[in-house]
Amino acid sequence: MKRHQEAPHPEAASLPAWLAWQADKQPQAIALRHKRLGIWQQWRWAALQQQVAALAAGLAARGFADGHSLVLLSHPGPEVLLLSLAAQWLGGEAVALDPQQPASELHAILHHLQPRWLLVEDADVLQSLPPTLPAAELLLYTEGRGLQQRVGAGWLAVSQLQQEGSALPAPTLLASNSAVAFRFWRVDGRGQLQQQVLQHGHLLQAGRQLLQAEQLSANEDALASRAFASSAQVRYLLAPWLQAGFRLNFPENLATRDNDRRELGPTLVAGTRETYSRLEQLARSRLPPTGSWQRGLVDRVLQPGAGRFWRWVGYYSVIRPLRDVLGFSRTRVPLLLGAPLAENTRHFFAALGVEVRNWPDSAEWQQRQLPAEPETGTRQWLQADTPPLGA
């Protein structure tokens, strides 16, 4: 009978160590799902760890090592997640950049980073690179369409890197509790470059707090529509996923996320103020015309403090259909990451029976009485007076 390894020690663990533990504890359970060309693809924990190990081996064979930085210029997707964990496996860090941010800010960040290890999503993202950027040591891409004629020496598909790595021995797991896991960059209102540094230990601590407060288990289905584009999503979605071992789902793309959420019916939703505001508008667009008697009934049901009678009258005709439209039919943990909701949006979701819990992307924990997070540099945006990233 196989003896499973002990759970990673809280004071010594890293994100890849928790991945390895989940692969040992529940190898055949579904870890990740991603909709591609209209079909949900899925990976089990054991297969996921093997892919991350193969990517780590491929990166190591091309010179990526402890302390190096992998810059990820891509929309959310499984490849971004797996490459982040592979870089961390080797003791490196992941630098996630949003390709949709203003070009001037993106160029300023990339010029500062001078990335040696760079992932671009596709030809469109490639066009966003500043022409004066020095050539990277390894350029990866996830989507080859439109790139076939431009790919030359030094360009490599993520699938090819994984294939190369799968033929190599799995490298030693070098990630440590105190090592930097993610680094985020931005340009503030004064045009100053700033960074935010997230260590493995602090991410896992924040994840544990969320698990305890929301009673999350391995039975959750979470939708990650924009993971992991911000520190809050890394803290409150990635770290809890690895520690609790629930299923993480990626929509096909941002344009399909609402349909995919409706089809999936996740139990855990983590969104921003903009996410919930957009969903409110989506639901309101389905309501009867203003001034009609049907709209009067709906407004009465959705009025704050409508009372048990109107709630009973409107549950099957208004509330449940709207929850189905939004994909909240099974949601029991609706999380708001970052800035709080506008009052009208909060009231709207409350009328639907959706109690949105705010987990701010700041030093203070709110919503539940929890021990204060220690004061560390991981929660501060720092001036960019540090050396350029990369070894």
Side-chain angles (χ1 to χ4, degrees), residues 31-247:
L32 184 68
R33 288 190 292 194
H34 177 217
K35 200 172 190 182
R36 184 166 291 167
L37 299 177
I39 300 174
W40 287 101
Q41 312 288 331
Q42 61 184 30
W43 292 263
R44 303 183 188 278
W45 283 102
L48 199 68
Q49 189 214 12
Q50 290 170 1
Q51 292 190 22
V52 171
L55 288 170
L59 286 173
R62 290 178 175 271
F64 190 92
D66 188 3
H68 286 186
S69 299
L70 176 61
V71 177
L72 305 152
L73 187 57
S74 170
H75 292 94
E79 293 88 354
V80 174
L81 172 59
L82 269 57
L83 276 170
S84 298
L85 291 169
Q88 293 157 4
W89 184 297
L90 297 172
E93 62 185 41
V95 180
L97 300 180
D98 184 355
Q100 289 188 315
Q101 63 184 305
S104 59
E105 297 182 6
L106 184 61
H107 288 190
I109 295 171
L110 286 170
H111 274 302
H112 177 75
L113 298 181
Q114 303 281 300
R116 290 178 57 191
W117 315 91
L118 175 64
L119 167 78
V120 298
E121 183 176 349
D122 53 23
D124 290 338
V125 177
L126 177 66
Q127 297 287 349
S128 67
L129 293 178
T132 54
L133 194 68
E137 200 160 305
L138 176 62
L139 284 163
L140 295 167
Y141 61 91
T142 59
E143 177 54 67
R145 285 180 296 182
L147 278 171
Q148 301 300 333
Q149 303 302 320
R150 307 185 58 174
V151 171
W155 282 91
L156 196 66
V158 174
S159 57
Q160 189 178 349
L161 181 72
Q162 182 183 323
Q163 187 177 7
E164 291 180 2
S166 62
L168 302 171
T172 302
L173 200 161
L174 298 178
S176 67
N177 190 260
S178 59
V180 175
F182 287 91
R183 196 182 298 260
F184 293 94
W185 290 86
R186 73 179 184 186
V187 178
D188 68 6
R190 300 171 300 170
Q192 298 294 315
L193 198 59
Q194 298 177 319
Q195 63 173 322
Q196 195 173 43
V197 181
L198 302 174
Q199 296 171 315
H200 288 267
H202 297 117
L203 291 175
L204 293 170
Q205 180 188 31
R208 284 195 300 276
Q209 290 177 311
L210 179 69
L211 294 181
Q212 294 167 7
E214 302 292 350
Q215 297 295 300
L216 299 181
S217 72
N219 297 322
E220 310 296 342
D221 259 313
L223 182 69
S225 59
R226 294 188 64 83
F228 300 97
S230 73
S231 60
Q233 289 167 322
V234 170
R235 286 179 187 175
Y236 304 131
L237 203 54
L238 175 60
W241 168 62
L242 290 170
Q243 292 177 98
F246 51 74
R247 293 170 296 278

Side-chain angles (χ1 to χ4, degrees), residues 223 257-258 260-272 275-280 282-283 315 319-336 341 348-350 352-357:
L223 182 69
R257 56 189 162 177
D258 291 331
D260 293 342
R261 182 190 304 102
R262 189 179 310 122
E263 179 182 326
L264 182 68
T267 61
L268 167 62
V269 172
T272 62
T275 302
Y276 286 97
S277 176
R278 182 176 54 78
L279 291 176
E280 179 192 2
L282 172 64
Y315 178 77
I319 294 175
R320 196 170 76 169
L322 285 178
R323 290 187 60 148
D324 289 342
V325 164
L326 298 178
F328 279 68
S329 56
R330 294 197 308 142
T331 302
R332 72 172 194 85
V333 185
L335 301 180
L336 170 66
L341 292 180
F348 179 80
F349 279 94
L352 298 182
V354 178
E355 183 198 350
V356 181
R357 272 92 86 178

Side-chain angles (χ1 to χ4, degrees), residues 297-329:
L297 175 62
V298 169
D299 290 342
R300 186 65 181 267
V301 170
L302 297 181
Q303 189 176 20
R308 296 180 61 182
F309 173 75
W310 285 106
R311 296 283 296 175
W312 176 79
V313 168
Y315 178 77
Y316 290 101
S317 59
V318 177
I319 294 175
R320 196 170 76 169
L322 285 178
R323 290 187 60 148
D324 289 342
V325 164
L326 298 178
F328 279 68
S329 56

